[in-house]
Amino acid sequence: MPSFLEVRRGFCMKNIYAIGVGLIGGSLAIDIKTHNPDVVIHGISRKDATLNTALALGLIDKKATLDDIEHADLVIVSIPVDATVKLLPTLLDKVSDDGLVVDAGSTKAAICKVVENHPKRRNFLAMHPIAGTEHSGPTAAIAGLFKGKTNIVCEVEKTTFKLQEKALQLFTDIGMRIRYMNPEEHDRHIAYVSHLSHISAFMLGKTVIDKEKNERDIFDMAGSGFASTVRLAKSSPEMWTPIFKQNKSNVIETLEEYINNLTRFKALMQDDDFEAIFDEMKNTNHIKDILNGII
Ligand code: NAP
C-alpha cells in the first residue's frame, strides 16, 4: 500500500505507459523516472525498431502493446496529433476506471472534441507541455527538458479530481508550471507563438535553399543569425503537417497578418522610407522586455 505522502506525490502511479517514445514521450519518461525511480515505464510504438532504441537508451523499462493498457495507472500519448485523435477513443475504452490518459499534442481543440462524449471522458486530461527542440525520435529525448517550462492543461474540470491531482503533481515534480486554458483559446494563441514561427523558419530555409542551391559556398557565410532563425526548419514534417491541418483557420489568420507585415516592410524598402523601417524595428525591440525571463 502506498503511504499517504506517496499518494499525495503521485507515486501511486506505478505503471506508466508511454505511447510514442520520441522527443516528448522519451523526455517525459526520463524525467518521471528520475523523480519516481519506482515507476515502471512501458513503451508502445508503431515500429519495433523505435521501441528497441528507446529500450537501449533506457527511456523505457519494458516494451508493451495496446492490449496491456488495462494495467496502466497513467498513459502518456506523445504521437502526431492526427494519430492521437484516431487512437484516443480506443485508449479510453481500454483504460481501467482508475487509470488516466494524458496527451501531449500541440493542438487541443480536435483532441478534446473527439472524446467529449466518451463514457470515460473523466479518465482523460488534455495537456500541451510547452517545451521541445527541432529534433525527433528516441535519440532526441533529453533529461530536464520540462524544467521551468509551462504545461497548458485544457478542460481540467472534465477530469476526475483525484486523477487530475495525481497527474498535475507528477508534472509539477518534474519542474513544470501548470496553466489552464480552454482548447480553442490554446489553439488560437499557439498559432502565433509556435505554429507561425515554424512556418516562417521553413519558408526562410526554402527561400535560401531555392536561391543558393548551386552555390554551396554561400552557406559558409551563414552566421549564427541565420542558423538560429532557421533552426526550426529542421523539425519533423510528420509531426507538423497534422498540426497545421488541425489548426488550419488560426494558422491562416496568423499567416495573413505576417504576410501583411512582410508586404509593408517591402513597400517601405521600395519607397526608401528607412526612417519608418528604423521605427518598425525599434518598436519590435520591445520583444526583449516581453521575453525577458522566459528565454
Ligand atoms: P517524435 O519525436 O517524432 O516522436 C513521435 C513518436 O510517435 C515516435 O515514437 C513515433 O514512433 C510515433 N509515431 C509517429 N507517427 C505516428 C503515427 N502516425 N501513428 C502512431 N505513432 C506514430 O515527435 P515528438 O516531438 O515527441 O511529438 C510528439 C507529440 O508531442 C506530438 O503530438 C507533438 O505535437 C507534441 N509536442 C511536440 C513538441 C516539440 O517541440 N517537438 C512540443 C510539445 C508537444 P514510430 O517511430 O514507432 O512511428
Side-chain angles (χ1 to χ4, degrees), residues 18-286:
I19 303 188
V21 289
L23 168 68
I24 297 298
S27 302
L28 280 171
I30 297 174
D31 284 0
I32 290 172
K33 183 81 177 181
T34 305
H35 284 81
N36 308 280
D38 293 340
V39 303
V40 181
I41 309 271
H42 306 256
I44 298 178
S45 204
R46 272 187 317 183
K47 299 179 193 150
D48 203 39
T50 304
L51 274 188
N52 287 337
T53 306
L55 200 57
L57 291 169
L59 306 179
I60 58 172
D61 299 305
K62 292 180 177 180
K63 298 202 272 183
T65 70
L66 291 177
D67 291 335
D68 303 318
I69 290 298
E70 62 180 301
H71 306 296
D73 298 308
L74 175 67
V75 181
I76 303 175
V77 186
S78 316
I79 58 178
V81 290
D82 55 343
T84 302
V85 163
K86 270 194 212 139
L87 187 62
L88 258 189
T90 310
L91 290 177
L92 282 181
D93 292 342
K94 287 178 183 285
V95 80
S96 77
D97 289 345
D98 298 323
L100 176 68
V101 178
V102 302
D103 88 289
S106 304
T107 55
K108 291 275 71 79
I111 289 172
C112 288
K113 181 92 187 138
V114 76
V115 291
E116 69 179 343
N117 295 318
H118 195 286
K120 287 210 193 128
R121 172 62 185 86
R122 294 184 69 72
N123 295 67
F124 172 63
L125 185 68
M127 62 177 214
H128 180 192
I130 309 291
T133 71
E134 66 277 27
H135 306 297
S136 50
T139 53
I142 45 175
L145 181 65
F146 304 99
K147 196 169 166 44
K149 300 290 166 48
T150 301
N151 196 7
I152 309 238
V153 171
C154 295
E155 299 186 329
V156 70
E157 71 288 349
K158 295 191 177 175
T159 309
T160 305
F161 182 71
K162 76 174 172 46
L163 291 176
Q164 49 163 281
E165 198 186 26
K166 283 190 217 171
L168 296 180
Q169 187 64 58
L170 198 74
F171 294 110
T172 308
D173 283 348
I174 65 170
M176 302 204 82
R177 291 184 293 260
I178 310 293
R179 274 209 60 187
Y180 300 97
M181 252 180 219
N182 72 49
E184 290 73 27
E185 196 188 351
H186 166 276
D187 286 6
R188 204 170 49 251
H189 292 311
I190 209 75
Y192 281 93
V193 292
S194 168
H195 303 177
L196 179 60
S197 319
H198 281 79
I199 295 170
S200 73
F202 278 119
M203 290 305 102
L204 171 64
K206 173 182 160 53
T207 308
V208 177
I209 291 167
D210 284 352
K211 192 70 193 160
E212 309 290 356
K213 58 186 158 219
N214 298 322
E215 297 177 57
R216 297 211 57 84
D217 290 351
I218 200 84
F219 287 100
D220 293 339
M221 293 167 63
S224 60
F226 178 73
S228 63
T229 313
V230 86
R231 176 179 66 85
L232 296 176
K234 294 185 230 161
S235 302
S236 152
E238 284 79 18
M239 197 190 92
W240 280 97
T241 309
I243 292 174
F244 297 147
K245 192 171 172 189
Q246 281 187 12
N247 207 18
K248 179 177 156 179
S249 58
N250 287 314
V251 169
I252 288 175
E253 195 180 316
T254 67
L255 276 173
E256 277 164 358
E257 291 172 29
Y258 189 50
I259 290 165
N260 285 343
N261 280 325
L262 289 175
T263 306
R264 176 176 150 75
F265 199 92
K266 183 178 160 198
L268 294 175
M269 293 285 293
Q270 285 167 329
D271 294 346
D272 282 326
D273 192 348
F274 290 100
E275 210 171 304
I277 282 180
F278 178 93
D279 289 344
E280 288 275 15
M281 293 191 288
K282 191 78 193 157
N283 292 337
T284 311
N285 278 162
H286 173 52

Side-chain angles (χ1 to χ4, degrees), residues 5-13 36 166 169-170 173:
L5 191 64
E6 283 173 330
V7 172
R8 282 286 310 153
R9 289 182 50 76
F11 278 63
C12 57
M13 288 186 161
N36 308 280
K166 283 190 217 171
Q169 187 64 58
L170 198 74
D173 283 348

